[in-house]
């Protein structure tokens, strides 16, 4: 099932329902089969889905930066850090937020989010 959700996520990277369904599926699988070897594989596929969604949010943040709508970009970068902090994309978002730190402080976003 995790593989199917991953395939769908690659095709529909703007559909957040898929990742929620994949999370539920993994939680139920983990409960039903707590010592199964396939849990690690499912977790890896879920992490890959997180990367896909985080990358989509990061790209949207960059789009808003290019349009000089910095507050919107800060929101997208912050969402990556809140929703997908374990991803490689989160590191890119941290760097962008550090560069936009004056704006983030005006918006009430603390450094704790990106440190």
């Amino acid at each position: 099932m995790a593989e199917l959700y991953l395939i769908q996520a690659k095709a529909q990277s703007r559909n957040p329902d898929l990742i929620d369904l994949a999370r539920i599926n993994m939680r139920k699988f983990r409960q039903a089969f707590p010592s199964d070897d396939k849990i690690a594989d499912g977790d890896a596929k879920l992490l890959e889905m997180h990367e896909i969604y985080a990358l989509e949010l990061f790209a949207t943040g960059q789009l808003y930066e290019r349009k000089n709508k910095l507050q919107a970009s800060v929101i997208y970068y912050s969402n990556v850090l809140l929703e997908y902090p374990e991803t490689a994309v989160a590191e890119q978002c941290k760097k962008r937020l550090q560069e936009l730190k004056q704006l983030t402080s005006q918006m009430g976003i603390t450094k704790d989010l990106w440190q």
Side-chain angles (χ1 to χ4, degrees), residues 59-105:
T60 304
Q62 287 188 312
L63 172 73
Y64 280 112
E65 262 196 88
R66 287 191 301 272
K67 291 186 171 209
N68 205 28
K69 296 186 178 191
L70 300 180
Q71 287 184 331
S73 66
V74 166
I75 291 169
Y76 279 93
Y77 298 147
S78 298
N79 280 340
V80 170
L81 297 179
L82 292 170
E83 295 289 325
Y84 311 110
E86 75 286 357
T87 62
V89 177
E91 290 302 315
Q92 293 175 297
C93 290
K94 286 178 186 179
K95 289 177 186 174
R96 293 304 314 136
L97 287 171
Q98 286 172 346
E99 291 177 19
L100 298 168
K101 74 176 144 185
Q102 183 177 353
L103 182 61
T104 58
S105 64

Side-chain angles (χ1 to χ4, degrees), residues 14-57:
R14 293 182 185 237
N15 184 352
D17 293 338
L18 291 174
I19 200 154
D20 290 336
L21 291 170
R23 286 176 180 155
I24 292 168
N25 181 63
M26 277 306 300
R27 186 178 49 223
K28 290 192 179 277
F29 186 80
R30 191 176 282 108
Q31 288 172 348
F33 308 101
S35 60
D36 196 303
D37 295 338
K38 294 183 181 172
I39 288 176
D41 186 45
D43 286 339
K45 288 183 179 17
L46 191 58
L47 179 59
E48 196 173 338
M49 286 181 73
H50 285 196
E51 291 287 350
I52 291 168
Y53 286 94
L55 186 60
E56 188 70 33
L57 290 171

